[in-house]
Amino acid sequence: MEIVPVTVGRPDSRSRRAAVALVEGLAMPTGGLGRLGELGVWLASCQGTCPPQAPVRARVVLLAADHGIAGNGVSAYPPQVSAVRATAAAAGRLPVTVAARAAGATVRVVDVGLVSGAEGAEPGWLVAHGTGRIDREDALDGERATAASLTGRRLADAEIDAGADLLIPATLGVGVTTPAATLVAAVTGAEPVAVVGRASGIDDRAWMRKAVAIRDALRRARPHLRDPLALLRTVGGTDLIVLAGFLARAAERKVPAVLDGLAVGAAALLADELAPGAKDWWVAAQPSTEPAATLVLEHLSLVPLLDLAVRTEDGTAAVTALPLLVAAARLLAETGTAHDTGVVPGDVTAPAGAGR
């Protein structure tokens, strides 16, 4: 089945204008809500209603997958830790799952590409048992790449049909920042050295191995720059393709998402090509310490909500931002207006000495 790009409609402009007018009329100084006001306006436009409703069914979808390049020593962790992390997530023991409980979000752990599976992770969405080493072979063949994209779309449909009103996708794969950085370099035209970060805390030798792997993978990627799915198939990975399909489909169905981390950001770059306009349905949780993630934010014109220096890259920061979204919606819905409360500016032209 061919994946044909579909242009995504923008969030509702009428609701956006109404929300802007609402914010301007609240009982506060002009611009008093700052970014919170902007966030409330964005929510209103995504929901097509003003005032917006606070998200009540936020859903975290954690994808578990192995990457062949992880066997080349590009991470501080060995490849088998992907499955260990997925097992810990399913048991509710990773930072993102703890943060989700605190924020009232629910979590789903899905195995889309582990070599040997993981206890507690849903196995029914498996696309492939690991991937090829992207510095010397394709991550997936065409059939599995298409299957991964469709899997992402089906996962998004399943969550939205179950009532999710805000989505937070993430991946647990060891070594995922190597293909993610390669994709970012391919899309933005950056040099390999400009996208190599320390990720899991690698030392100088691992950094050099990672830089060489990205350089070689980028050479293999260049013939596919105009074909998002071919690019993902060649130098991406199962989870990255699923993420791209997931984000594209969520935007098509007008459900907002919070982006967090380099892997999700790289997938978002390709999702916005698979579904042009999808980026209007996303907010970024925070900047990343990965240099490639900075390029993602610039390319998608996204300004992060927070800067907590969280380095887990598993959606923790995105979940931590959920209370901001709830607060932004409630501020617009529940704050009194200047007219109703009488909280209005005084006469700033009163003569000097008046009131003494």
Side-chain angles (χ1 to χ4, degrees):
M1 178 179 177
E2 183 181 3
I3 305 296
V4 179
V6 177
T7 300
V8 172
R10 302 189 66 179
D12 185 59
S13 59
R14 181 176 298 180
S15 298
R16 179 179 181 82
R17 289 193 298 268
V20 170
L22 174 59
V23 171
E24 291 176 348
L26 295 180
M28 62 176 190
T30 301
L33 290 181
R35 291 289 311 280
L36 285 173
E38 296 172 6
L39 194 55
V41 169
W42 176 74
L43 277 173
S45 64
C46 289
Q47 295 173 358
T49 185
C50 180
Q53 299 176 353
V56 295
R57 295 184 181 88
R59 185 70 156 166
V60 182
V61 179
L62 300 179
L63 304 178
D66 282 309
H67 291 266
I69 196 66
N72 198 39
V74 296
S75 172
Y77 296 94
Q80 59 267 29
V81 171
S82 296
V84 174
R85 293 185 75 199
T87 299
R93 301 301 299 275
L94 283 193
V96 62
T97 57
V98 176
R101 287 196 296 274
T106 54
V107 179
R108 182 177 191 178
V109 183
V110 182
D111 176 5
V112 296
L114 291 174
V115 172
S116 302
E119 184 178 350
E122 295 181 34
W125 303 86
L126 184 69
V127 176
H129 291 288
T131 68
R133 267 186 55 171
I134 60 169
D135 57 339
R136 61 189 187 190
E137 61 184 331
D138 290 352
L140 295 171
D141 60 29
E143 182 178 352
R144 286 187 172 85
T146 299
S149 182
L150 293 175
T151 294
R153 297 175 67 84
R154 286 195 293 267
L155 270 171
D157 281 335
E159 295 302 332
I160 296 167
D161 291 344
D165 56 9
L166 185 74
L167 296 169
I168 298 174
T171 178
L172 304 172
V174 169
V176 70
T177 59
T178 298
T182 303
L183 290 169
V184 172
V187 173
T188 65
E191 292 296 323
V193 70
V195 298
V196 186
R198 297 285 178 173
S200 53
I202 55 177
D203 59 20
D204 289 345
R205 290 185 178 181
W207 188 95
M208 293 179 65
R209 288 194 294 270
K210 184 174 180 178
V212 171
I214 292 174
R215 180 201 66 192
D216 293 345
L218 190 57
R219 289 173 180 163
R220 301 185 63 258
R222 289 200 172 103
H224 308 289
L225 298 183
R226 297 184 180 277
D227 186 335
L229 191 57
L231 188 61
L232 284 160
R233 169 183 60 77
T234 304
V235 296
T238 308
D239 48 358
L240 293 167
I241 303 176
V242 173
L243 283 170
F246 184 94
L247 286 166
R249 181 57 176 164
E252 289 173 19
R253 294 198 59 181
K254 305 183 185 305
V255 175
V258 184
L259 310 185
D260 180 17
L262 171 57
V264 173
L269 286 181
L270 279 303
D272 194 54
E273 294 191 5
L274 291 167
K279 65 180 180 180
D280 292 333
W281 295 89
W282 307 327
V283 290
Q286 67 159 17
S288 169
T289 56
E290 290 293 295
T294 300
L295 296 176
V296 169
L297 296 177
E298 292 173 354
H299 195 84
L300 295 176
S301 301
L302 295 176
V303 179
L305 299 177
L306 301 168
D307 190 356
L308 300 177
V310 176
R311 296 183 57 244
T312 60
E313 296 273 330
D314 62 358
T316 299
V319 174
T320 305
L322 281 178
L324 291 181
L325 292 160
V326 173
R330 294 191 63 175
L331 281 166
L332 267 65
E334 300 175 24
T335 303
T337 66
H339 175 74
D340 292 338
T341 63
V343 180
V344 296
D347 183 3
V348 296
T349 61
R356 290 183 181 177

